[in-house]
Amino acid sequence: MQTQNTPVHVGLWHRDFWLLAVASLLVTTAMYLLLPLLPRWMMAVCGCTPVEAAVCVALPGAAAFLLGCFCSYLVQRYRRNHVCVYSLFAIAMCFYCLQFIHRGVGTALGAFGFVAVVRLVQGAMFGLAQMVLSSTLVIDSCESSKRTEANYSAAWFTRFALSLGPMLALALLPVMDFGSVMVVGAMLCIVAVILISAVKFPFKAPEDIVRHISADRFFLPQGKWLFVNLLLVMAAVGLIFTIGGTAYFYGMLFVGFLLALLAARFVFVNAELKSEAVAGLALMIAALLVLLYGDNATVLSLSPVLLGCGIGIIGSRFLLFFIKLSPHCKRGTSQSTYFLSCESGLSVGLFLGYGLFNDDGRGALSLSVALCCVALVMYLAFTHRWYMGHKNR
């Protein structure tokens, strides 16, 4: 058996990086299929209350933390790609379980209890899979000098899934029932398994002392204020996702992500450091005001583009903040912390939107504006100065 401690030395644009990045896109898209569909299905078909539906749609954001403290142990005790692959298989099985209850398979737990357990397992496995992908596999597939660029590029793939998942779900719904869409989600996970299995990782000897419970590859305590600031932003995004967007809305959100990618590459390349976060939040607030007060044509075309552009700019900048805040040996941990901040914030927004607001969406939008304003004030008054005093690179 080949034994070595060095990563696979390939360039960023090597086939292996693309396979891993696309796998991450597919599994995240599969998870986000449920954001617009699960609450409607639970209330219309299962007879659940809005609060019960909100709990189930938001549960993976909390469940993503459950296995994080074991991530370092698992990837050293077992083959790191195998840990990711088995997690993806578990996510696929969760999709099939949701299909079973849609087909009328009874359970002693009742609809809410069954879905809650499935979503708890699904969220825990998704958290583990994404942590292994972002904190270990993507990093190990690139040369040391390319790792920041690799993390940055791979994060864009998962960011695109934020629009592609709901857009695909809403596009399929007129021609498929909920159970069939769950099969699509499971198949996306299986394709991701195939892609990851096509990448060859050498055996990596574990450290001399392997702790069963550790914050390594899980959570970066140094990034706690970045975590809170980004959580506020993503909570606002989660609230927006509860107001009944269409496939066209999420398609235009994807266009906004593409514009944000171009802006990060050409507009902000030599700009002042804090300009990206400020511009991103300003764009998000503008998008929300358009949603609140604009006419239908403007809302459908302009608002999601502004929103996607703002989310993309903020997300890419905060990711780099997390990387530069961490010591070199904690790069993977910073990636997991960034992921957990996004997922937990999104889940908070989804829970508040589906569980508390049953109006025409104005309440959820108003709270989103308030959260974005709080996030902007926090960043300008505290977070940026704190980051500049604590960054390592």
Side-chain angles (χ1 to χ4, degrees), residues 105-121:
V105 178
T107 172
L109 290 173
F112 169 67
F114 182 82
V115 175
V117 170
V118 170
R119 291 288 282 165
L120 185 70
V121 174

Side-chain angles (χ1 to χ4, degrees), residues 282-292 302-308:
L283 286 170
M284 285 187 65
I285 293 171
L288 292 168
L289 293 176
V290 170
L291 280 172
L292 274 169
L302 178 61
S303 179
V305 174
L306 292 175
L307 183 64

Side-chain angles (χ1 to χ4, degrees), residues 253-270:
L253 186 71
F254 181 77
V255 173
F257 285 150
L258 293 177
L259 292 177
L261 182 58
L262 293 174
R265 177 66 180 83
F266 298 107
V267 178
F268 294 103
V269 63
N270 293 316

Side-chain angles (χ1 to χ4, degrees), residues 42-94:
M42 290 189 68
M43 289 185 283
V45 177
C46 301
C48 295
T49 66
V51 173
E52 289 174 334
V55 168
C56 289
V57 76
L59 200 53
F65 289 82
L66 293 179
L67 298 178
C69 60
F70 304 106
C71 183
S72 181
Y73 169 76
L74 291 172
V75 298
Q76 294 190 72
R77 176 63 178 82
Y78 307 99
R79 295 293 290 253
R80 51 203 187 279
N81 52 324
H82 291 175
V83 174
C84 187
V85 163
Y86 293 144
S87 299
L88 294 180
F89 272 125
I91 296 172
M93 290 301 101
C94 289

